[in-house]
Amino acid sequence: MAGAGESRNGGNGGGGDGSVGVQIRQTRRLPDFLQSVNLKYVKLGYHYLISNLLTLCLFPLAVVISVEASQTNPNDLKQLWIHLQYNLVSIIICSAVLVFGLTVYVMTRPRPVYLVDFSCYLPPDHLKAPYSRFMEHSKLTGDFDDSALEFQRKILERSGLGEDTYVPEAMHHVPPRISMAAAREEAEQVMFGALDNLFANANVNPKDIGILVVNCSLFNPTPSLSAMIVNKYKLRGNIRSYNLGGMGCSAGVIAVDLAKDMLLVHRNTYAVVVSTENITQNWYFGNKKSMLIPNCLFRVGGSAVLLSNKSRDKRRSKYKLVHVVRTHRGADDKAFRCVYQEQDDTGRTGVSLSKDLMAIAGETLKTNITTLGPLVLPISEQILFFMTLVVKKLFNSKVKPYIPDFKLAFEHFCIHAGGRAVIDELEKNLQLSPVHVEASRMTLHRFGNTSSSSIWYELAYIEAKGRMRRGNRVWQIAFGSGFKCNSAIWEALRHVKPSNNSPWEHCIDKYPVTLSY
């Protein structure tokens, strides 16, 4: 599931599993989730914080020891030596405990995960689908009635998509070439295009890759997409490869989380994460309007990300992974079925979204950011938030909880470009400024909804604008079927410049553009 909606007057869009249909009332909006807080998720966030308590305690202890050591003089050192001569057994025991403690700490602390580089696929110009060509081909297929054609035209006009988005080669034929071969061709062009550029920019031999994670929701052939990559680049035989399917537009963050866990176990290696979606076999050719919206929103795109746990790679890496917070509400029946792949009355397959989607998305997002807050917010924001929460729970239930300012925790936001309305509502609820959502809006305009890879096109936009400075933190957030909301937090290790062959390289000077719906 990608995200929701278009114009508040012109329908709500959705997407993320690749061929998504929508059943949402047009006036449905995200609830003001920051106005209500569930205490158990605050506890969960603080549990994550306490998990790093040893590190938090050791740091001030080291500072105190350093200050005391700087104030010692030769007489103090002489007295200390005399004292040690008469307490040798105690010193040996203390030293042994200290060495043991330090050893346990070094062995158990997680190794940093670095993002060396990433690449986004830029399709060739002949795959562009301006409004006029899109509508002409939709009409020529003969599958859509006049009402469905008019509906698609209105959605396009109000979607936030521009005239330069791309659809796969198969959809440029009349009739479209809907076949397994065409779907494989689309997958290969996207994945190999992104990987070729990544390996060239990062100067990495493919045989050095130890971990491979590929995510694509609706196209899962045999052999798998990950096997296609292994075959293409002749990766080594003991590579640990994974293929994630059916997990929607948030699968890119899930794939990063899986790669991170593998890097914590397998030392001194590289991991590659490939995120894409396949349109060729998942286009909807019926007249049910709720299932036509994905045709108007989803476009060709994909990304490849190189991660490393090698300490020497810190100097050349762009970012360090700080946190991944995942929220899954699949145990709730409504949440589980709010994005559901099924057939319409004529037997054509699509993915329907229930009228409860926006409310469920809001609740899932609220859970995610409530858990995330204690990990990323400044202490001052956490104290204000916690104090007002205690007052509300114990003394006065009418007191509104303090709404933390996430702009104090992050300099950049990459909100999944699932649809115009989702970006609008997150901008409002998180109290963001237009510049904070600029990357999301411009990615939607230039590339459309590229599913799980959209957050990487957004990060590439920020880099292309020269806005990523050393120490900046960026929040990637995406939604997915199931129902899920996942966040990844990255910290820039240097002033980041765009990589060669960035998808924005030839058009960044044209952006931002003024959007008119």
Side-chain angles (χ1 to χ4, degrees):
M1 174 270 176
E6 299 317 303
S7 166
R8 295 188 181 93
N9 299 318
N12 289 298
D17 283 284
S19 65
V20 188
V22 192
Q23 295 178 347
I24 316 174
R25 295 175 184 173
Q26 295 179 351
T27 57
R28 205 76 170 179
R29 295 169 58 183
L30 279 175
D32 190 359
F33 49 83
L34 286 176
Q35 295 296 336
S36 59
V37 178
N38 193 321
L39 184 59
K40 69 177 181 179
Y41 298 120
V42 179
K43 293 178 180 178
L44 180 60
Y46 280 98
H47 168 73
Y48 289 161
L49 186 66
I50 295 302
S51 297
N52 297 308
L53 186 60
L54 179 60
T55 303
L56 296 175
C57 291
L58 286 178
F59 179 74
L61 180 61
V63 172
V64 171
I65 293 175
S66 299
V67 171
E68 290 294 329
S70 66
Q71 296 176 348
T72 57
N73 55 50
N75 289 332
D76 294 329
L77 295 175
K78 183 178 180 180
Q79 292 297 323
L80 178 62
W81 173 250
I82 295 174
H83 180 74
L84 292 178
Q85 287 180 318
Y86 293 98
N87 294 276
L88 186 59
V89 175
S90 300
I91 296 304
I92 293 175
I93 294 175
C94 291
S95 299
V97 171
L98 180 62
V99 171
F100 177 77
L102 289 175
T103 302
V104 171
Y105 172 72
V106 171
M107 294 296 293
T108 58
R109 72 185 180 93
R111 293 176 65 88
V113 173
Y114 302 112
L115 191 160
V116 179
D117 207 345
F118 69 96
S119 175
C120 298
Y121 174 65
L122 179 63
D125 287 345
H126 73 270
L127 295 185
K128 287 185 178 180
Y131 294 173
S132 58
R133 185 185 303 175
F134 182 96
M135 292 306 305
E136 179 185 3
H137 279 242
S138 294
K139 184 177 181 180
L140 290 175
T141 60
D143 292 300
F144 306 110
D145 58 29
D146 291 341
S147 178
L149 290 170
E150 177 63 16
F151 178 78
Q152 291 181 79
R153 184 188 65 79
K154 290 182 178 179
I155 292 296
L156 281 173
E157 291 175 350
R158 300 165 180 170
S159 64
L161 273 69
E163 295 277 1
D164 293 330
T165 60
Y166 307 87
V167 296
E169 181 72 38
M171 308 313 300
H172 286 274
H173 292 263
V174 180
R177 293 192 299 115
I178 307 302
S179 65
M180 174 63 75
R184 283 183 181 274
E185 182 181 344
E186 178 192 348
E188 290 174 353
Q189 288 178 348
V190 173
M191 295 191 304
F192 299 164
L195 284 168
D196 286 345
N197 193 44
L198 176 67
F199 290 146
N201 288 339
N203 193 26
V204 170
N205 187 335
K207 291 188 180 296
D208 292 335
I209 306 302
I211 300 163
L212 173 65
V213 184
V214 181
N215 69 270
C216 181
S217 285
L218 291 182
F219 182 58
N220 294 285
T222 299
S224 67
L225 298 178
S226 59
M228 291 166 61
I229 294 174
V230 172
N231 178 259
K232 164 69 175 179
Y233 296 98
K234 308 305 178 187
L235 303 183
R236 63 199 200 195
N238 65 343
I239 190 170
R240 294 163 177 85
S241 65
Y242 302 87
N243 204 93
L244 307 181
M247 306 194 79
C249 292
S250 67
V253 177
I254 296 173
V256 167
D257 192 36
L258 174 58
K260 177 205 71 175
D261 290 343
M262 296 298 296
L263 286 170
L264 295 179
V265 176
H266 303 283
R267 306 246 166 168
N268 199 39
T269 190
Y270 290 109
V272 167
V273 175
V274 178
S275 299
T276 187
E277 191 51 86
N278 195 280
I279 296 176
T280 297
Q281 284 194 320
N282 297 295
W283 203 264
Y284 177 66
F285 290 98
N287 290 298
K288 189 172 182 180
K289 293 177 180 175
S290 61
M291 293 185 175
L292 284 169
I293 295 176
N295 292 6
C296 303
L297 295 180
F298 278 87
R299 295 294 185 263
V300 172
S303 63
V305 181
L306 179 65
L307 303 175
S308 173
N309 58 11
K310 302 179 181 182
S311 57
R312 66 176 180 269
D313 279 329
K314 180 179 180 179
R315 292 190 301 272
R316 71 184 188 113
S317 296
K318 289 185 172 183
Y319 306 95
K320 180 178 72 174
L321 182 60
V322 181
H323 299 292
V324 175
V325 175
R326 294 168 54 182
T327 302
H328 201 309
R329 297 196 63 212
D332 180 86
D333 290 340
K334 284 187 177 182
F336 173 74
R337 294 188 64 91
C338 72
V339 181
Y340 207 78
Q341 187 176 20
E342 58 188 0
Q343 293 179 321
D344 66 10
D345 295 337
T346 64
R348 293 181 171 91
T349 301
V351 180
S352 63
L353 278 68
S354 77
K355 59 183 176 59
D356 298 318
L357 173 61
M358 296 298 285
I360 292 169
E363 287 298 316
T364 312
L365 177 60
K366 181 182 73 175
T367 301
N368 189 267
I369 67 173
T370 305
T371 305
L372 180 67
L375 298 174
V376 299
L377 288 169
I379 295 298
S380 58
E381 290 292 294
Q382 294 193 43
I383 292 174
L384 289 171
F385 173 76
F386 187 74
M387 292 297 293
T388 55
L389 187 64
V390 169
V391 171
K392 177 180 176 62
K393 293 293 182 181
L394 299 181
F395 302 106
N396 187 354
S397 61
K398 295 182 179 180
V399 174
K400 290 185 177 181
Y402 175 73
I403 302 175
D405 186 358
F406 279 88
K407 296 189 294 295
L408 297 176
F410 307 110
E411 286 77 22
H412 308 285
F413 297 79
C414 294
I415 301 166
H416 165 55
R420 170 192 163 198
V422 164
I423 300 173
D424 288 345
E425 293 301 324
L426 286 179
E427 177 184 8
K428 174 184 175 183
N429 278 282
L430 293 178
Q431 301 175 3
L432 304 178
S433 65
V435 71
H436 289 126
V437 295
E438 182 182 309
S440 299
R441 292 196 191 281
M442 297 306 106
T443 295
L444 182 63
H445 181 273
R446 176 65 180 86
F447 295 100
N449 182 349
T450 61
S451 191
S452 56
S453 64
S454 69
I455 54 178
W456 296 105
Y457 285 90
E458 294 164 14
L459 186 56
Y461 178 90
I462 296 170
E463 291 182 359
K465 282 294 184 182
R467 297 173 181 171
M468 189 64 69
R469 318 304 293 173
R470 180 185 177 90
N472 282 182
R473 288 196 173 193
V474 56
W475 179 12
Q476 292 180 321
I477 184 167
F479 301 95
S481 57
F483 189 83
K484 302 179 289 292
C485 176
N486 299 316
S487 296
I489 312 303
W490 304 89
E491 180 180 348
L493 297 175
R494 53 186 167 88
H495 295 350
V496 180
K497 296 180 180 179
S499 302
N500 293 332
N501 297 318
S502 163
W504 299 94
E505 190 172 73
H506 304 294
C507 63
I508 191 63
D509 293 337
K510 301 177 182 177
Y511 286 90
V513 298
T514 301
L515 302 176
S516 59
Y517 304 110

